[in-house]
Amino acid sequence: MSFFISDAMAQAPAPGAGGDGGMSIIFLIGMFVIMYFFLIRPQVKRQKEHKAMVGGLKKGDEIQTMGGLMGKITELGENFMKVEVADNVVVTVRKSAVEAVMPKGSLKEL
């Protein structure tokens, strides 16, 4: 009767199941390295640049906030600063909200 039924191959090892553990670890390490160079490292670099820019702010600088507000710094504090956005209009802005320091005279062009 074994002639109609093929032998079961349950005893044979699955193809590729023998030495695949090392390759999967290398793959995971490779993926972490790729993620580090494409995601983590650029973000840390941007954070350092932003912190240096915020640390270098001084009275009289013309800035743009993340909300699009542009003005001249009139007073600096530890965490906050006062920005003059128009004649006799002064708003208080958080230092970390500064997106860019504009070149001198750029407010007069607007």
Side-chain angles (χ1 to χ4, degrees):
M1 273 301 208
S2 66
F3 160 107
F4 294 112
I5 301 171
S6 62
D7 295 332
M9 298 295 175
Q11 296 291 329
D20 231 10
M23 290 302 287
S24 63
I25 290 175
I26 291 173
F27 178 74
L28 287 174
I29 291 172
M31 288 300 292
F32 180 74
V33 168
I34 289 171
M35 285 185 60
Y36 174 77
F37 280 108
F38 283 110
L39 297 174
I40 298 169
R41 189 169 176 235
Q43 181 65 26
V44 170
K45 185 177 178 184
R46 275 193 298 270
Q47 286 175 344
K48 284 182 183 178
E49 289 172 354
H50 185 262
K51 188 174 182 179
M53 180 195 59
V54 169
L57 291 175
K58 58 189 177 297
K59 186 177 176 180
D61 282 347
E62 296 177 1
I63 60 155
Q64 178 181 0
T65 65
M66 291 183 189
L69 192 66
M70 294 180 70
K72 183 183 280 191
I73 298 174
T74 58
E75 186 180 325
L76 280 171
E78 186 69 28
N79 292 320
F80 295 94
M81 63 185 161
K82 296 197 184 239
V83 178
E84 184 177 13
V85 294
D87 293 334
N88 297 323
V89 179
V90 179
V91 294
T92 303
V93 178
R94 197 174 183 127
K95 275 181 145 181
S96 62
V98 174
E99 184 176 8
V101 177
M102 307 304 288
K104 296 282 183 188
S106 60
L107 290 178
K108 291 178 184 176
E109 294 175 5
L110 299 176

